[in-house]
Amino acid sequence: MNIKGAVEGAANTESGSRVFVYEVVGLRQSEETDTTNYPIRNSGSVFIRVPYNRMNQEMRRITRLGGRIVSIHPIEQVNGNSKVSVESGETANNAENGKATPPVQATSEVTKSQTSQKPKNKDTEGKTMTQAKAKKEAHADVPVNIYRPNAPYIGKCISNEALVKDGGIGIVQHLKFDISGGDLRYIEGQSIGIIPPGVDKNGKPEKLRLYSIASTRHGDDVDDKTVSLCVRQLEYKHPETGETVYGVCSTHLCFLKPGDEVKITGPVGKEMLLPQDPEAKVIMMATGTGIAPMRAYLWRMFKDNEKAANPDYQYKGFAWLIFGIPTSPNILYKEELEEMQQRYPDNFRLTYAISREQKNAQGGRMYIQDRVAEHADELWQLIKDEKTHTYICGLRGMEDGIDAALTAAAAKEGVTWIDYQKEIKKAGRWHVETY
């Protein structure tokens, strides 16, 4: 079925009068879309006509309905393509245009405002992070798998500090481990594995879980003797029994005491590494504990002791962090971030998306995808720069809204975002780690 967007209002500007066609897949029937005056199919493409001055609004509406924009083309290009037709079929409800509300929310209170990922009927921590494949030859000298699951490093907890302030949601801890007794080395953007004690429901030893490292290669004390993690206690309701379920490994870590031992493996990962160019431009988009690698980057760029330890790397570029959290007390590392912004206003830009306190342009909650859409044109101009690297870290599902916003921005210049994204991935400038 072809759907023509109800967007025929004339624009007063030359650019506003231009019309584009969105090809959309994945629109779903749901409790919300049942209220619309047209049916939603689960499969096939629909084609929606959108004027230039409503591109971002329509993008957000499509995301809310579960759709994914796979291409955007000027209407004159589409009309000249015999394979695609945009007819005046059933018309979308005008009132629905421009409403930006989040996709299906997760059960966990800490993250449910920032992702559409739902917990499975088991401890989902056991699923390792998904990382886009990096070129092996690009980082051949990066330390990997110094310690393996069958022979982990036994470290000790030095400190375990709460990151969520009073009135915040959930439990998030900053943990620092002593690694001075072994040969564990790592660099910013890598992860380590943690093996919790005990056995699983099948009586087998617990498997490792991966966590992004939140410290630089020199550690929080800049003495090469520690590694730090940012860990949220996983908590959700069992979908059948309604019982509260807590993550095995995250609970183990969140309640460690100084002196407690911990089994560490790794490090792993080459996808999220920073470029060596001190003049690089770095865009960071994170939700919740996805801030961990971003903290490591920012310490390397801006912390005095860290800069003194890296005379060959003195950052002079521009870094922009867009950070999604549910409430102000959930702004992890708030004091650190705001101090760096204050000291380096020309080099570091900090933007929050606080879903339960801030409103988006349509009056709904402010999610990270809304912030990205709000700044999409500016971000697109940065991304086009060959010196720019973009990093995304958080729960799986956050990428869709980001892609939708950048799809609309790129289309204004006649660029197909999906194709361009493939190019910058191949060039090693688009980095994603979700879990």
mmCIF file of all heavy atoms in Angstrom, residues 162-183:
data_model
loop_
_atom_site.group_PDB
_atom_site.id
_atom_site.type_symbol
_atom_site.label_atom_id
_atom_site.label_comp_id
_atom_site.label_asym_id
_atom_site.label_seq_id
_atom_site.Cartn_x
_atom_site.Cartn_y
_atom_site.Cartn_z
ATOM 1 N N ALA A 162 28.957 5.177 44.448
ATOM 2 C CA ALA A 162 27.651 5.388 43.820
ATOM 3 C C ALA A 162 27.716 6.593 42.879
ATOM 4 O O ALA A 162 28.272 7.635 43.227
ATOM 5 C CB ALA A 162 26.593 5.602 44.891
ATOM 6 N N LEU A 163 27.128 6.448 41.701
ATOM 7 C CA LEU A 163 27.096 7.539 40.728
ATOM 8 C C LEU A 163 25.736 8.211 40.638
ATOM 9 O O LEU A 163 25.641 9.343 40.163
ATOM 10 C CB LEU A 163 27.490 7.008 39.337
ATOM 11 C CG LEU A 163 28.942 6.559 39.168
ATOM 12 C CD1 LEU A 163 29.147 5.950 37.787
ATOM 13 C CD2 LEU A 163 29.892 7.728 39.367
ATOM 14 N N VAL A 164 24.685 7.509 41.072
ATOM 15 C CA VAL A 164 23.341 8.088 41.026
ATOM 16 C C VAL A 164 23.088 8.876 42.305
ATOM 17 O O VAL A 164 23.255 8.352 43.413
ATOM 18 C CB VAL A 164 22.264 6.994 40.857
ATOM 19 C CG1 VAL A 164 20.864 7.608 40.882
ATOM 20 C CG2 VAL A 164 22.482 6.236 39.550
ATOM 21 N N LYS A 165 22.716 10.125 42.145
ATOM 22 C CA LYS A 165 22.466 10.991 43.303
ATOM 23 C C LYS A 165 21.087 10.703 43.905
ATOM 24 O O LYS A 165 20.260 10.003 43.321
ATOM 25 C CB LYS A 165 22.558 12.462 42.885
ATOM 26 C CG LYS A 165 23.887 12.853 42.260
ATOM 27 C CD LYS A 165 25.029 12.765 43.249
ATOM 28 C CE LYS A 165 26.295 13.433 42.721
ATOM 29 N NZ LYS A 165 26.821 12.791 41.493
ATOM 30 N N ASP A 166 20.831 11.289 45.073
ATOM 31 C CA ASP A 166 19.538 11.128 45.748
ATOM 32 C C ASP A 166 18.400 11.533 44.808
ATOM 33 O O ASP A 166 18.461 12.578 44.153
ATOM 34 C CB ASP A 166 19.478 11.987 47.004
ATOM 35 C CG ASP A 166 20.413 11.486 48.098
ATOM 36 O OD1 ASP A 166 20.859 10.320 47.992
ATOM 37 O OD2 ASP A 166 20.713 12.263 49.028
ATOM 38 N N GLY A 167 17.376 10.696 44.763
ATOM 39 C CA GLY A 167 16.228 10.988 43.911
ATOM 40 C C GLY A 167 16.347 10.400 42.520
ATOM 41 O O GLY A 167 15.412 10.487 41.726
ATOM 42 N N GLY A 168 17.508 9.789 42.219
ATOM 43 C CA GLY A 168 17.701 9.185 40.907
ATOM 44 C C GLY A 168 17.082 7.799 40.831
ATOM 45 O O GLY A 168 16.497 7.292 41.786
ATOM 46 N N ILE A 169 17.240 7.183 39.681
ATOM 47 C CA ILE A 169 16.614 5.894 39.413
ATOM 48 C C ILE A 169 17.680 4.811 39.310
ATOM 49 O O ILE A 169 18.646 4.952 38.573
ATOM 50 C CB ILE A 169 15.811 5.949 38.104
ATOM 51 C CG1 ILE A 169 14.707 7.013 38.198
ATOM 52 C CG2 ILE A 169 15.207 4.594 37.758
ATOM 53 C CD1 ILE A 169 14.053 7.306 36.873
ATOM 54 N N GLY A 170 17.511 3.737 40.069
ATOM 55 C CA GLY A 170 18.389 2.595 39.952
ATOM 56 C C GLY A 170 19.720 2.755 40.671
ATOM 57 O O GLY A 170 19.975 3.741 41.370
ATOM 58 N N ILE A 171 20.565 1.760 40.480
ATOM 59 C CA ILE A 171 21.889 1.726 41.103
ATOM 60 C C ILE A 171 22.946 1.681 40.004
ATOM 61 O O ILE A 171 22.932 0.786 39.159
ATOM 62 C CB ILE A 171 22.041 0.486 42.015
ATOM 63 C CG1 ILE A 171 21.058 0.571 43.194
ATOM 64 C CG2 ILE A 171 23.476 0.351 42.525
ATOM 65 C CD1 ILE A 171 21.029 -0.682 44.055
ATOM 66 N N VAL A 172 23.830 2.666 40.004
ATOM 67 C CA VAL A 172 24.949 2.700 39.071
ATOM 68 C C VAL A 172 26.204 3.009 39.881
ATOM 69 O O VAL A 172 26.229 3.987 40.640
ATOM 70 C CB VAL A 172 24.755 3.756 37.959
ATOM 71 C CG1 VAL A 172 25.916 3.673 36.963
ATOM 72 C CG2 VAL A 172 23.429 3.565 37.246
ATOM 73 N N GLN A 173 27.238 2.195 39.709
ATOM 74 C CA GLN A 173 28.449 2.319 40.513
ATOM 75 C C GLN A 173 29.684 2.534 39.640
ATOM 76 O O GLN A 173 29.763 2.017 38.521
ATOM 77 C CB GLN A 173 28.654 1.054 41.353
ATOM 78 C CG GLN A 173 27.509 0.714 42.299
ATOM 79 C CD GLN A 173 27.363 1.703 43.432
ATOM 80 O OE1 GLN A 173 26.337 2.386 43.546
ATOM 81 N NE2 GLN A 173 28.391 1.792 44.275
ATOM 82 N N HIS A 174 30.640 3.288 40.185
ATOM 83 C CA HIS A 174 31.969 3.408 39.570
ATOM 84 C C HIS A 174 32.920 2.555 40.378
ATOM 85 O O HIS A 174 33.146 2.795 41.565
ATOM 86 C CB HIS A 174 32.443 4.861 39.562
ATOM 87 C CG HIS A 174 33.812 5.036 38.949
ATOM 88 N ND1 HIS A 174 34.012 5.048 37.594
ATOM 89 C CD2 HIS A 174 35.039 5.176 39.524
ATOM 90 C CE1 HIS A 174 35.306 5.204 37.336
ATOM 91 N NE2 HIS A 174 35.949 5.279 38.491
ATOM 92 N N LEU A 175 33.467 1.516 39.724
ATOM 93 C CA LEU A 175 34.341 0.569 40.406
ATOM 94 C C LEU A 175 35.763 0.703 39.889
ATOM 95 O O LEU A 175 35.993 0.816 38.687
ATOM 96 C CB LEU A 175 33.861 -0.866 40.178
ATOM 97 C CG LEU A 175 32.488 -1.189 40.762
ATOM 98 C CD1 LEU A 175 31.494 -1.453 39.652
ATOM 99 C CD2 LEU A 175 32.563 -2.395 41.699
ATOM 100 N N LYS A 176 36.718 0.664 40.817
ATOM 101 C CA LYS A 176 38.139 0.725 40.465
ATOM 102 C C LYS A 176 38.818 -0.534 40.993
ATOM 103 O O LYS A 176 38.672 -0.887 42.162
ATOM 104 C CB LYS A 176 38.789 1.985 41.061
ATOM 105 C CG LYS A 176 40.234 2.165 40.669
ATOM 106 C CD LYS A 176 40.730 3.577 40.992
ATOM 107 C CE LYS A 176 40.689 3.896 42.458
ATOM 108 N NZ LYS A 176 41.263 5.224 42.774
ATOM 109 N N PHE A 177 39.565 -1.206 40.080
ATOM 110 C CA PHE A 177 40.226 -2.456 40.434
ATOM 111 C C PHE A 177 41.737 -2.322 40.345
ATOM 112 O O PHE A 177 42.270 -1.684 39.427
ATOM 113 C CB PHE A 177 39.783 -3.582 39.490
ATOM 114 C CG PHE A 177 38.307 -3.813 39.463
ATOM 115 C CD1 PHE A 177 37.587 -3.682 38.283
ATOM 116 C CD2 PHE A 177 37.617 -4.165 40.607
ATOM 117 C CE1 PHE A 177 36.225 -3.891 38.243
ATOM 118 C CE2 PHE A 177 36.248 -4.377 40.585
ATOM 119 C CZ PHE A 177 35.548 -4.240 39.398
ATOM 120 N N ASP A 178 42.416 -2.973 41.269
ATOM 121 C CA ASP A 178 43.881 -3.035 41.277
ATOM 122 C C ASP A 178 44.324 -4.113 40.287
ATOM 123 O O ASP A 178 43.933 -5.275 40.404
ATOM 124 C CB ASP A 178 44.361 -3.369 42.691
ATOM 125 C CG ASP A 178 45.887 -3.445 42.790
ATOM 126 O OD1 ASP A 178 46.578 -3.218 41.773
ATOM 127 O OD2 ASP A 178 46.378 -3.747 43.897
ATOM 128 N N ILE A 179 45.143 -3.726 39.303
ATOM 129 C CA ILE A 179 45.670 -4.702 38.345
ATOM 130 C C ILE A 179 47.204 -4.695 38.355
ATOM 131 O O ILE A 179 47.839 -5.141 37.399
ATOM 132 C CB ILE A 179 45.149 -4.419 36.922
ATOM 133 C CG1 ILE A 179 45.517 -3.001 36.461
ATOM 134 C CG2 ILE A 179 43.641 -4.623 36.854
ATOM 135 C CD1 ILE A 179 45.205 -2.725 34.989
ATOM 136 N N SER A 180 47.770 -4.200 39.426
ATOM 137 C CA SER A 180 49.228 -4.033 39.496
ATOM 138 C C SER A 180 49.975 -5.353 39.593
ATOM 139 O O SER A 180 51.183 -5.410 39.340
ATOM 140 C CB SER A 180 49.601 -3.138 40.683
ATOM 141 O OG SER A 180 49.201 -3.734 41.916
ATOM 142 N N GLY A 181 49.286 -6.443 39.976
ATOM 143 C CA GLY A 181 49.977 -7.707 40.169
ATOM 144 C C GLY A 181 50.075 -8.570 38.926
ATOM 145 O O GLY A 181 50.523 -9.712 39.010
ATOM 146 N N GLY A 182 49.650 -8.024 37.770
ATOM 147 C CA GLY A 182 49.680 -8.827 36.557
ATOM 148 C C GLY A 182 50.130 -8.025 35.355
ATOM 149 O O GLY A 182 50.823 -7.011 35.492
ATOM 150 N N ASP A 183 49.729 -8.477 34.184
ATOM 151 C CA ASP A 183 50.165 -7.855 32.935
ATOM 152 C C ASP A 183 48.972 -7.329 32.136
ATOM 153 O O ASP A 183 49.025 -7.242 30.923
ATOM 154 C CB ASP A 183 50.943 -8.878 32.102
ATOM 155 C CG ASP A 183 51.616 -8.228 30.887
ATOM 156 O OD1 ASP A 183 52.080 -7.077 31.022
ATOM 157 O OD2 ASP A 183 51.632 -8.859 29.818
#
